Amino acid sequence: MRKLFSLLLILSTLLAALPASGEEAEVFALEGTIVEITDDALLLNTQAYGEVQAATDEDTVWDTDVDLAPGDYVYVDYNGQMTRSVPAQVHAARVCSYRLLGDVVEIDAEAKTLLLRLQNEVEYRVNLPETLDMESFDAPRALVYFNGVATMSLPAQISAGLVVPGYTAQGEITELGEDSLMLGEGQEALQVNFAAGTLPEGLAVGDIIRVTYDGVATRSLPAQISAMEIVEISR
């Protein structure tokens, strides 16, 4: 009888810990920049917890409009359980990342917002991260990472997790490879490295393009930049 009572007590305790019927389990979230990607995990640099490894598997939901790479900003949903290891570890129930790239129309330093105009002329009011240095932000373009949620207002409003300043370089393609191209010749040449899917279809040597990049160029000869976006100007 005592054994039966003990088993019933344990069972009732376990049932009490489960969500009630129709009640969803609580979801926790963390966000950060991808440091490394493996087949079964993302290593993130987060402001709240430092480096965190988010384990992924066949049950992980991928809610993103891009192929993720180191440097991208993501939002991870998990069940609240985080190990005390170094780095801390969680299991990712969902990985979310959306981004917008456009022209900076105006900046409101006091409200800490900017107005972003996309190539299709759609505008977004972007609420900027608290960590962004408004005094040094003078880029003509911006790449904005957010969680995919936008208001129904005009313009729509989003809250950015990360904003990458965008600068442009324009010129004629003189060489074209599988993952890089060359703009210009001689001492003025510029090597543009790009990821799969960034290059517009049909581009050829002699075409004029505009490249958006983060403002960072190597000191090599030729200098090298990494493209956020490549747009064909003319042929």
Side-chain angles (χ1 to χ4, degrees):
M1 181 63 70
R2 289 182 179 178
K3 290 184 179 180
L4 178 60
F5 178 77
S6 298
L7 289 174
L8 290 174
L9 180 60
I10 293 172
L11 180 60
S12 63
T13 302
L14 292 174
L15 290 175
L18 296 175
S21 179
E23 180 182 346
E24 295 184 359
E26 186 174 1
V27 176
F28 294 79
L30 58 86
E31 56 189 88
T33 304
I34 298 176
V35 177
E36 182 182 1
I37 299 178
T38 63
D39 291 338
D40 56 3
L42 301 175
L43 181 61
L44 307 180
N45 183 15
T46 73
Q47 185 177 0
Y49 305 105
E51 286 196 346
V52 176
Q53 181 173 296
T56 59
D57 55 25
E58 65 276 5
D59 295 324
T60 301
V61 176
W62 297 90
D63 183 11
T64 174
D65 60 351
V66 295
D67 292 329
L68 297 176
D72 287 334
Y73 197 87
V74 296
Y75 301 80
V76 174
D77 290 344
Y78 69 108
N79 62 2
Q81 297 181 5
M82 180 181 295
T83 69
R84 296 184 179 181
S85 57
V86 178
Q89 298 181 37
V90 301
H91 175 266
R94 184 177 74 114
V95 177
C96 174
S97 181
Y98 287 84
R99 61 185 188 180
L100 299 173
L101 176 63
D103 296 322
V104 177
V105 178
E106 64 180 34
I107 298 177
D108 187 334
E110 184 176 350
K112 203 147 192 179
T113 65
L114 64 79
L115 185 63
L116 191 72
R117 180 178 295 155
L118 308 188
Q119 188 175 354
N120 60 6
E121 300 299 320
V122 174
E123 294 183 346
Y124 286 85
R125 180 71 62 183
V126 181
N127 298 306
L128 301 172
E130 290 297 325
T131 54
L132 184 65
D133 183 2
M134 297 297 295
E135 293 184 0
S136 63
F137 188 91
D138 59 354
R141 311 197 79 213
L143 174 64
V144 175
Y145 289 89
F146 71 115
N147 62 0
V149 178
T151 67
M152 299 296 289
S153 57
L154 288 176
Q157 295 189 41
I158 62 174
S159 294
L162 176 67
V163 177
V164 181
Y167 300 85
T168 60
Q170 185 169 314
E172 179 182 344
I173 300 176
T174 54
E175 296 180 25
L176 182 59
E178 293 184 356
D179 55 8
S180 67
L181 58 83
M182 198 75 71
L183 294 181
E185 296 178 329
Q187 293 184 348
E188 302 299 323
L190 180 65
Q191 180 175 319
V192 180
N193 303 313
F194 54 84
T198 305
L199 196 69
E201 294 184 3
L203 279 187
V205 171
D207 292 344
I208 307 298
I209 61 172
R210 183 189 70 184
V211 179
T212 299
Y213 68 108
D214 62 3
V216 177
T218 67
R219 296 184 178 181
S220 58
L221 287 176
Q224 298 183 37
I225 62 175
S226 296
M228 298 179 187
E229 179 188 58
I230 298 176
V231 177
E232 179 185 344
I233 303 299
S234 63
R235 296 193 173 190

